[in-house]
Amino acid sequence: MCSRPKSQELRQLRDILTKALEGLEDIADRNFPSGSWPSLDMPISPVENQNQWEPHKDPEIQRLSNLVVAAAYQLINLVREPFASLVDVACGVRSLFHYPVQLHSPVFLRQSLLTAALNTANELNVAEILREYGTQGADVLEIAAKCQADAEKLGRCLRILATHHVFREVQPNVFAHNRISSLLDTDVPHEQLREDQLNKYETYTGHNDVSAYLGHLDQISASDVAKASLCHLEDVRTTGELYPSPKQTPFQKALNTSEDLFSWMHNPEHKYEFSRHNACIRATTRWNASEALLSGKRLFDNVRAGHVKLSATSFDWNSLPEGGIVVDVGGGTGKPAAELAKAFPRLKFVVQDQEAVVQKALKYWQVNDPKMLTEGRVSFTAHDFFKAQPVVGADVYLARIVFHDWDDKHVIQILKRLRAAASSKTRLIVADYILPFASKSSLSSLIFTDSPTIDPPPPLLPNLGKAHANTYYLDIATGRREHFRSTFKYFKKLDGKSSK
């Protein structure tokens, strides 16, 4: 089976959608009183539903609707960033778990099937196995033999994934990679994974971040984010202060632990989860084009010593002096800092995190870019950001994807430590998740474009709906930490408290 050129596939899907939609319009014109298809914004009235013609019982409408759904979903996966498609599979389904159920219940199994299938393929290293077979693919019997699984059950998992455009079923029971599934491949030889699954995230290749990210989200039966999401209903019913402590979240309820997530992962019993999480954090750079970080677009330049300046405009890294110091606070293994260091070699970057994370970071970069370390463009330092900041008077303190992990009290503590170390010229750049309302708001135009005056075209949702749904999934599905902040007003509030 040969793949078609992408441009041809785009045109074919466009034509299918156009013809099917025109067919639905013709039917609506003949059968609906208004002459148009019912608006998605209009609720269904029980009385009207009894008296009106029911379109989805019409065989022709069913046929056309199936074409629209199939073509639209394939088009989504064709044009969307493949990583986003994988994350959609990993946490989109699980975000339905808004009530506690038993892991073996039919309700749980129905709702988690797609996510569970992805987790199964990831943990059984199917992506690494299929790499060896190329575009012709491998029979599920061969795949199952290599990963010591039941061939029939594995085939069903891979088929539902292929139905959602993750992997390809090139002929009955023969599966191969496609653009989306190929991102799961860590490039680690399958034999090494057979020896020790920990090699998946301890070999320090530059290709295991996506697998790690999905594994962190996906593990239905393991002690990760998925279990915590099952406690969501119980958590929502709990009134009072929103997560007064990082030790009082659904994560603790689900795992029956008093530790916060990071302390829990540092337990030697959870070394696999800890190694995977370190690789997972590197994948967060995939959420934005590298230009977004390099240009500083949509970052918050919100503290200059005692002066507040809050905006969503670009930050000019070249405005910093020769040899300027940028401290990446809680920077993990340093992937964002490394990208900045390559783009701005005149600057020095100091990445701070916990000692165990720093050690893994050094091993990772000694394999992937040792010159960056030896030249001193990026250095790593163990530091607890709740304690006094050791780098005083840095040109920039960068807090990227840090604050959403902590409650207000702890975020204010971090800000106070940075404010105390800042000089009159220091900038604090915050890069974190923003959750705009699904209705029109001051952030709507910034989601669609850098211009504050251009909104998404109607009838699209102001927040672009499904196109930006993954961040909302993370807000709900993780269920282990304080909800992501949604407005500029929130940062203003925190800045005011940190100055007291």
Short mmCIF file of all heavy atoms in Angstrom, two decimals, residues 91-142:
data_model
loop_
_atom_site.label_atom_id
_atom_site.label_comp_id
_atom_site.label_asym_id
_atom_site.label_seq_id
_atom_site.Cartn_x
_atom_site.Cartn_y
_atom_site.Cartn_z
N CYS A 91 -5.49 11.60 26.70
CA CYS A 91 -6.25 12.14 27.82
C CYS A 91 -7.63 12.64 27.45
O CYS A 91 -8.42 12.96 28.33
CB CYS A 91 -5.49 13.26 28.52
SG CYS A 91 -5.16 14.71 27.53
N GLY A 92 -7.96 12.67 26.16
CA GLY A 92 -9.29 13.13 25.79
C GLY A 92 -10.38 12.21 26.28
O GLY A 92 -11.41 12.64 26.79
N VAL A 93 -10.19 10.90 26.14
CA VAL A 93 -11.20 9.95 26.58
C VAL A 93 -11.26 9.89 28.09
O VAL A 93 -12.31 9.89 28.70
CB VAL A 93 -10.89 8.54 26.02
CG1 VAL A 93 -11.88 7.53 26.55
CG2 VAL A 93 -10.94 8.57 24.50
N ARG A 94 -10.06 9.91 28.72
CA ARG A 94 -10.05 9.75 30.16
C ARG A 94 -10.65 10.96 30.88
O ARG A 94 -11.05 10.88 32.03
CB ARG A 94 -8.62 9.53 30.66
CG ARG A 94 -8.59 9.04 32.08
CD ARG A 94 -7.16 8.83 32.58
NE ARG A 94 -6.37 9.99 32.47
CZ ARG A 94 -5.37 10.12 31.60
NH1 ARG A 94 -5.08 9.15 30.78
NH2 ARG A 94 -4.67 11.23 31.55
N SER A 95 -10.75 12.08 30.19
CA SER A 95 -11.32 13.25 30.83
C SER A 95 -12.81 13.05 31.14
O SER A 95 -13.41 13.87 31.81
CB SER A 95 -11.15 14.48 29.95
OG SER A 95 -11.91 14.38 28.77
N LEU A 96 -13.39 11.94 30.66
CA LEU A 96 -14.78 11.65 30.98
C LEU A 96 -14.94 11.06 32.38
O LEU A 96 -16.05 10.92 32.86
CB LEU A 96 -15.35 10.64 29.96
CG LEU A 96 -15.40 11.12 28.50
CD1 LEU A 96 -15.82 9.96 27.61
CD2 LEU A 96 -16.37 12.26 28.35
N PHE A 97 -13.84 10.70 33.03
CA PHE A 97 -13.92 10.06 34.33
C PHE A 97 -14.20 11.11 35.40
O PHE A 97 -13.33 11.52 36.13
CB PHE A 97 -12.62 9.36 34.69
CG PHE A 97 -12.22 8.26 33.73
CD1 PHE A 97 -10.92 7.76 33.76
CD2 PHE A 97 -13.11 7.75 32.82
CE1 PHE A 97 -10.55 6.77 32.88
CE2 PHE A 97 -12.74 6.76 31.95
CZ PHE A 97 -11.46 6.26 31.98
N HIS A 98 -15.44 11.50 35.53
CA HIS A 98 -15.77 12.54 36.49
C HIS A 98 -16.47 11.95 37.71
O HIS A 98 -17.12 12.64 38.47
CB HIS A 98 -16.67 13.59 35.85
CG HIS A 98 -15.94 14.38 34.82
ND1 HIS A 98 -16.56 15.23 33.95
CD2 HIS A 98 -14.60 14.45 34.50
CE1 HIS A 98 -15.68 15.78 33.14
NE2 HIS A 98 -14.50 15.32 33.45
N TYR A 99 -16.35 10.66 37.88
CA TYR A 99 -16.96 10.04 39.04
C TYR A 99 -16.17 8.80 39.38
O TYR A 99 -15.55 8.16 38.53
CB TYR A 99 -18.43 9.67 38.76
CG TYR A 99 -18.64 8.97 37.44
CD1 TYR A 99 -18.51 7.59 37.34
CD2 TYR A 99 -18.91 9.70 36.30
CE1 TYR A 99 -18.68 6.96 36.14
CE2 TYR A 99 -19.09 9.07 35.09
CZ TYR A 99 -18.98 7.70 35.01
OH TYR A 99 -19.14 7.08 33.81
N PRO A 100 -16.17 8.39 40.67
CA PRO A 100 -15.37 7.23 41.06
C PRO A 100 -16.02 5.94 40.59
O PRO A 100 -17.21 5.72 40.79
CB PRO A 100 -15.35 7.33 42.59
CG PRO A 100 -16.57 8.11 42.94
CD PRO A 100 -16.81 9.06 41.81
N VAL A 101 -15.25 5.08 39.92
CA VAL A 101 -15.73 3.78 39.52
C VAL A 101 -14.63 2.77 39.79
O VAL A 101 -13.46 3.11 39.96
CB VAL A 101 -16.08 3.74 38.01
CG1 VAL A 101 -17.26 4.64 37.72
CG2 VAL A 101 -14.90 4.14 37.16
N GLN A 102 -15.00 1.51 39.84
CA GLN A 102 -14.01 0.46 40.03
C GLN A 102 -13.27 0.24 38.72
O GLN A 102 -13.83 0.35 37.62
CB GLN A 102 -14.70 -0.85 40.47
CG GLN A 102 -15.40 -0.73 41.81
CD GLN A 102 -14.43 -0.41 42.92
OE1 GLN A 102 -13.35 -0.99 43.00
NE2 GLN A 102 -14.80 0.52 43.79
N LEU A 103 -11.98 -0.08 38.81
CA LEU A 103 -11.16 -0.23 37.60
C LEU A 103 -11.65 -1.36 36.71
O LEU A 103 -11.36 -1.39 35.52
CB LEU A 103 -9.70 -0.46 38.00
CG LEU A 103 -9.00 0.70 38.68
CD1 LEU A 103 -7.55 0.33 38.95
CD2 LEU A 103 -9.06 1.97 37.85
N HIS A 104 -12.41 -2.33 37.29
CA HIS A 104 -12.85 -3.45 36.48
C HIS A 104 -14.30 -3.28 36.00
O HIS A 104 -14.85 -4.16 35.36
CB HIS A 104 -12.76 -4.75 37.29
CG HIS A 104 -13.60 -4.73 38.54
ND1 HIS A 104 -13.09 -4.28 39.74
CD2 HIS A 104 -14.89 -5.06 38.77
CE1 HIS A 104 -14.04 -4.36 40.67
NE2 HIS A 104 -15.15 -4.82 40.10
N SER A 105 -14.92 -2.15 36.28
CA SER A 105 -16.32 -1.98 35.94
C SER A 105 -16.50 -1.77 34.45
O SER A 105 -15.63 -1.24 33.77
CB SER A 105 -16.91 -0.79 36.70
OG SER A 105 -16.48 0.41 36.11
N PRO A 106 -17.68 -2.18 33.89
CA PRO A 106 -17.95 -1.96 32.46
C PRO A 106 -17.90 -0.49 32.08
O PRO A 106 -17.47 -0.14 30.99
CB PRO A 106 -19.37 -2.54 32.29
CG PRO A 106 -19.52 -3.53 33.40
CD PRO A 106 -18.75 -2.95 34.56
N VAL A 107 -18.36 0.40 32.98
CA VAL A 107 -18.34 1.82 32.68
C VAL A 107 -16.91 2.30 32.45
O VAL A 107 -16.60 2.99 31.49
CB VAL A 107 -18.99 2.63 33.83
CG1 VAL A 107 -18.81 4.13 33.60
CG2 VAL A 107 -20.47 2.29 33.94
N PHE A 108 -16.01 1.87 33.35
CA PHE A 108 -14.61 2.29 33.22
C PHE A 108 -14.02 1.76 31.92
O PHE A 108 -13.34 2.48 31.19
CB PHE A 108 -13.81 1.76 34.41
CG PHE A 108 -12.36 2.13 34.38
CD1 PHE A 108 -11.93 3.28 34.99
CD2 PHE A 108 -11.43 1.34 33.72
CE1 PHE A 108 -10.59 3.65 34.96
CE2 PHE A 108 -10.10 1.70 33.69
CZ PHE A 108 -9.68 2.85 34.31
N LEU A 109 -14.32 0.48 31.62
CA LEU A 109 -13.72 -0.13 30.43
C LEU A 109 -14.20 0.55 29.17
O LEU A 109 -13.43 0.77 28.23
CB LEU A 109 -14.04 -1.63 30.41
CG LEU A 109 -13.37 -2.46 31.51
CD1 LEU A 109 -13.84 -3.89 31.44
CD2 LEU A 109 -11.85 -2.39 31.38
N ARG A 110 -15.49 0.89 29.09
CA ARG A 110 -16.02 1.54 27.90
C ARG A 110 -15.36 2.89 27.68
O ARG A 110 -14.99 3.26 26.58
CB ARG A 110 -17.54 1.72 28.02
CG ARG A 110 -18.35 0.46 27.79
CD ARG A 110 -19.79 0.83 27.48
NE ARG A 110 -20.39 1.65 28.51
CZ ARG A 110 -21.03 1.18 29.57
NH1 ARG A 110 -21.11 -0.12 29.74
NH2 ARG A 110 -21.59 1.99 30.45
N GLN A 111 -15.21 3.64 28.76
CA GLN A 111 -14.72 5.00 28.61
C GLN A 111 -13.22 5.08 28.44
O GLN A 111 -12.71 6.06 27.94
CB GLN A 111 -15.15 5.83 29.83
CG GLN A 111 -16.66 6.03 29.88
CD GLN A 111 -17.05 6.94 31.01
OE1 GLN A 111 -16.38 6.99 32.02
NE2 GLN A 111 -18.15 7.64 30.86
N SER A 112 -12.50 4.06 28.86
CA SER A 112 -11.04 4.15 28.83
C SER A 112 -10.43 3.32 27.72
O SER A 112 -9.22 3.21 27.64
CB SER A 112 -10.47 3.67 30.17
OG SER A 112 -10.73 2.29 30.36
N LEU A 113 -11.25 2.71 26.86
CA LEU A 113 -10.73 1.74 25.90
C LEU A 113 -9.65 2.32 25.00
O LEU A 113 -8.58 1.74 24.84
CB LEU A 113 -11.88 1.18 25.06
CG LEU A 113 -11.47 0.12 24.04
CD1 LEU A 113 -10.78 -1.05 24.71
CD2 LEU A 113 -12.69 -0.36 23.26
N LEU A 114 -9.92 3.47 24.39
CA LEU A 114 -8.94 4.05 23.47
C LEU A 114 -7.67 4.44 24.19
O LEU A 114 -6.55 4.19 23.72
CB LEU A 114 -9.56 5.26 22.76
CG LEU A 114 -8.70 5.94 21.70
CD1 LEU A 114 -8.32 4.96 20.61
CD2 LEU A 114 -9.43 7.14 21.11
N THR A 115 -7.81 5.06 25.36
CA THR A 115 -6.65 5.43 26.15
C THR A 115 -5.88 4.20 26.60
O THR A 115 -4.65 4.17 26.56
CB THR A 115 -7.10 6.25 27.38
OG1 THR A 115 -7.79 7.40 26.95
CG2 THR A 115 -5.91 6.66 28.22
N ALA A 116 -6.61 3.17 27.02
CA ALA A 116 -5.96 1.94 27.46
C ALA A 116 -5.22 1.27 26.32
O ALA A 116 -4.14 0.70 26.50
CB ALA A 116 -6.99 0.99 28.06
N ALA A 117 -5.79 1.34 25.12
CA ALA A 117 -5.12 0.73 23.96
C ALA A 117 -3.80 1.44 23.67
O ALA A 117 -2.79 0.79 23.36
CB ALA A 117 -6.05 0.80 22.74
N LEU A 118 -3.80 2.75 23.75
CA LEU A 118 -2.57 3.50 23.53
C LEU A 118 -1.53 3.17 24.59
O LEU A 118 -0.35 2.97 24.29
CB LEU A 118 -2.86 5.00 23.52
CG LEU A 118 -1.64 5.91 23.27
CD1 LEU A 118 -1.04 5.64 21.91
CD2 LEU A 118 -2.04 7.38 23.40
N ASN A 119 -1.97 3.10 25.83
CA ASN A 119 -1.05 2.76 26.91
C ASN A 119 -0.47 1.36 26.72
O ASN A 119 0.72 1.12 26.95
CB ASN A 119 -1.78 2.83 28.26
CG ASN A 119 -0.87 2.49 29.42
OD1 ASN A 119 0.14 3.13 29.63
ND2 ASN A 119 -1.22 1.44 30.15
N THR A 120 -1.32 0.43 26.29
CA THR A 120 -0.87 -0.95 26.04
C THR A 120 0.22 -0.98 24.98
O THR A 120 1.27 -1.61 25.15
CB THR A 120 -2.05 -1.83 25.62
OG1 THR A 120 -3.01 -1.88 26.68
CG2 THR A 120 -1.59 -3.24 25.28
N ALA A 121 -0.03 -0.30 23.86
CA ALA A 121 0.97 -0.27 22.78
C ALA A 121 2.26 0.38 23.25
O ALA A 121 3.36 -0.07 22.90
CB ALA A 121 0.40 0.47 21.58
N ASN A 122 2.14 1.43 24.03
CA ASN A 122 3.32 2.16 24.50
C ASN A 122 4.13 1.32 25.47
O ASN A 122 5.36 1.21 25.35
CB ASN A 122 2.87 3.46 25.17
CG ASN A 122 4.02 4.44 25.36
OD1 ASN A 122 5.08 4.34 24.74
ND2 ASN A 122 3.82 5.42 26.23
N GLU A 123 3.48 0.71 26.44
CA GLU A 123 4.19 -0.07 27.46
C GLU A 123 4.73 -1.39 26.91
O GLU A 123 5.71 -1.93 27.43
CB GLU A 123 3.27 -0.34 28.65
CG GLU A 123 2.96 0.91 29.47
CD GLU A 123 4.21 1.51 30.10
OE1 GLU A 123 4.99 0.77 30.71
OE2 GLU A 123 4.41 2.74 29.95
N LEU A 124 4.09 -1.93 25.86
CA LEU A 124 4.59 -3.15 25.23
C LEU A 124 5.63 -2.86 24.15
O LEU A 124 6.11 -3.78 23.49
CB LEU A 124 3.43 -3.95 24.63
CG LEU A 124 2.46 -4.58 25.63
CD1 LEU A 124 1.35 -5.33 24.90
CD2 LEU A 124 3.19 -5.54 26.59
N ASN A 125 5.95 -1.59 23.97
CA ASN A 125 7.01 -1.18 23.03
C ASN A 125 6.71 -1.58 21.58
O ASN A 125 7.62 -1.93 20.81
CB ASN A 125 8.35 -1.78 23.47
CG ASN A 125 8.65 -1.51 24.93
OD1 ASN A 125 8.51 -0.38 25.40
ND2 ASN A 125 9.03 -2.54 25.67
N VAL A 126 5.44 -1.50 21.21
CA VAL A 126 5.04 -1.84 19.85
C VAL A 126 5.72 -0.91 18.83
O VAL A 126 6.12 -1.34 17.75
CB VAL A 126 3.51 -1.78 19.70
CG1 VAL A 126 3.09 -1.91 18.24
CG2 VAL A 126 2.85 -2.86 20.55
N ALA A 127 5.86 0.36 19.20
CA ALA A 127 6.47 1.32 18.26
C ALA A 127 7.90 0.94 17.94
O ALA A 127 8.35 1.05 16.78
CB ALA A 127 6.43 2.72 18.86
N GLU A 128 8.65 0.48 18.94
CA GLU A 128 10.04 0.08 18.71
C GLU A 128 10.11 -1.20 17.87
O GLU A 128 11.03 -1.37 17.05
CB GLU A 128 10.75 -0.12 20.04
CG GLU A 128 11.08 1.16 20.79
CD GLU A 128 9.89 1.76 21.54
OE1 GLU A 128 8.84 1.07 21.63
OE2 GLU A 128 10.00 2.89 22.03
N ILE A 129 9.15 -2.08 18.06
CA ILE A 129 9.13 -3.32 17.28
C ILE A 129 8.81 -3.02 15.81
O ILE A 129 9.48 -3.53 14.90
CB ILE A 129 8.08 -4.30 17.86
CG1 ILE A 129 8.51 -4.77 19.26
CG2 ILE A 129 7.87 -5.50 16.94
CD1 ILE A 129 7.46 -5.58 20.00
N LEU A 130 7.80 -2.18 15.58
CA LEU A 130 7.40 -1.90 14.20
C LEU A 130 8.46 -1.14 13.42
O LEU A 130 8.49 -1.20 12.19
CB LEU A 130 6.09 -1.11 14.20
CG LEU A 130 4.83 -1.89 14.57
CD1 LEU A 130 3.61 -1.00 14.52
CD2 LEU A 130 4.64 -3.09 13.64
N ARG A 131 9.33 -0.41 14.12
CA ARG A 131 10.40 0.30 13.44
C ARG A 131 11.23 -0.66 12.59
O ARG A 131 11.69 -0.31 11.50
CB ARG A 131 11.30 0.99 14.46
CG ARG A 131 12.43 1.78 13.84
CD ARG A 131 13.64 1.97 14.76
NE ARG A 131 13.28 2.14 16.14
CZ ARG A 131 13.82 1.42 17.14
NH1 ARG A 131 14.72 0.47 16.87
NH2 ARG A 131 13.47 1.63 18.38
N GLU A 132 11.41 -1.87 13.07
CA GLU A 132 12.25 -2.84 12.40
C GLU A 132 11.62 -3.36 11.10
O GLU A 132 12.32 -3.93 10.26
CB GLU A 132 12.53 -4.02 13.34
CG GLU A 132 13.16 -3.61 14.67
CD GLU A 132 13.17 -4.75 15.69
OE1 GLU A 132 12.76 -5.88 15.31
OE2 GLU A 132 13.57 -4.52 16.84
N TYR A 133 10.30 -3.18 10.94
CA TYR A 133 9.60 -3.77 9.80
C TYR A 133 9.31 -2.77 8.68
O TYR A 133 8.84 -3.16 7.61
CB TYR A 133 8.30 -4.42 10.27
CG TYR A 133 8.51 -5.66 11.10
CD1 TYR A 133 8.71 -5.58 12.47
CD2 TYR A 133 8.54 -6.92 10.50
CE1 TYR A 133 8.92 -6.71 13.24
CE2 TYR A 133 8.75 -8.07 11.26
CZ TYR A 133 8.93 -7.95 12.63
OH TYR A 133 9.14 -9.08 13.38
N GLY A 134 9.55 -1.51 8.93
CA GLY A 134 9.37 -0.51 7.89
C GLY A 134 7.92 -0.34 7.46
O GLY A 134 6.98 -0.67 8.20
N THR A 135 7.74 0.13 6.22
CA THR A 135 6.39 0.46 5.75
C THR A 135 5.54 -0.76 5.45
O THR A 135 4.31 -0.66 5.39
CB THR A 135 6.48 1.31 4.47
OG1 THR A 135 7.24 0.60 3.48
CG2 THR A 135 7.14 2.65 4.76
N GLN A 136 6.16 -1.94 5.26
CA GLN A 136 5.37 -3.12 4.96
C GLN A 136 4.64 -3.65 6.18
O GLN A 136 3.66 -4.38 6.08
CB GLN A 136 6.23 -4.23 4.34
CG GLN A 136 7.17 -4.93 5.31
CD GLN A 136 8.51 -4.23 5.45
OE1 GLN A 136 8.64 -3.06 5.05
NE2 GLN A 136 9.48 -4.91 6.03
N GLY A 137 5.13 -3.29 7.38
CA GLY A 137 4.44 -3.68 8.60
C GLY A 137 4.77 -5.09 9.05
O GLY A 137 5.54 -5.83 8.41
N ALA A 138 4.16 -5.49 10.16
CA ALA A 138 4.39 -6.81 10.74
C ALA A 138 3.06 -7.43 11.14
O ALA A 138 2.13 -6.74 11.58
CB ALA A 138 5.30 -6.71 11.97
N ASP A 139 2.99 -8.75 10.99
CA ASP A 139 1.80 -9.47 11.42
C ASP A 139 1.70 -9.39 12.95
O ASP A 139 2.71 -9.41 13.65
CB ASP A 139 1.88 -10.93 10.98
CG ASP A 139 0.56 -11.66 11.19
OD1 ASP A 139 0.25 -12.00 12.35
OD2 ASP A 139 -0.15 -11.89 10.20
N VAL A 140 0.48 -9.29 13.43
CA VAL A 140 0.29 -9.15 14.87
C VAL A 140 0.85 -10.34 15.63
O VAL A 140 1.24 -10.22 16.80
CB VAL A 140 -1.21 -8.91 15.20
CG1 VAL A 140 -2.02 -10.18 14.97
CG2 VAL A 140 -1.38 -8.40 16.61
N LEU A 141 0.93 -11.51 14.99
CA LEU A 141 1.52 -12.69 15.64
C LEU A 141 3.00 -12.45 15.93
O LEU A 141 3.49 -12.82 17.01
CB LEU A 141 1.35 -13.93 14.75
CG LEU A 141 -0.09 -14.46 14.59
CD1 LEU A 141 -0.13 -15.56 13.53
CD2 LEU A 141 -0.61 -14.98 15.93
N GLU A 142 3.70 -11.82 14.99
CA GLU A 142 5.12 -11.51 15.21
C GLU A 142 5.29 -10.44 16.28
O GLU A 142 6.17 -10.53 17.13
CB GLU A 142 5.75 -11.03 13.89
CG GLU A 142 5.75 -12.05 12.77
CD GLU A 142 6.33 -11.47 11.50
OE1 GLU A 142 7.57 -11.30 11.44
OE2 GLU A 142 5.55 -11.17 10.58
#
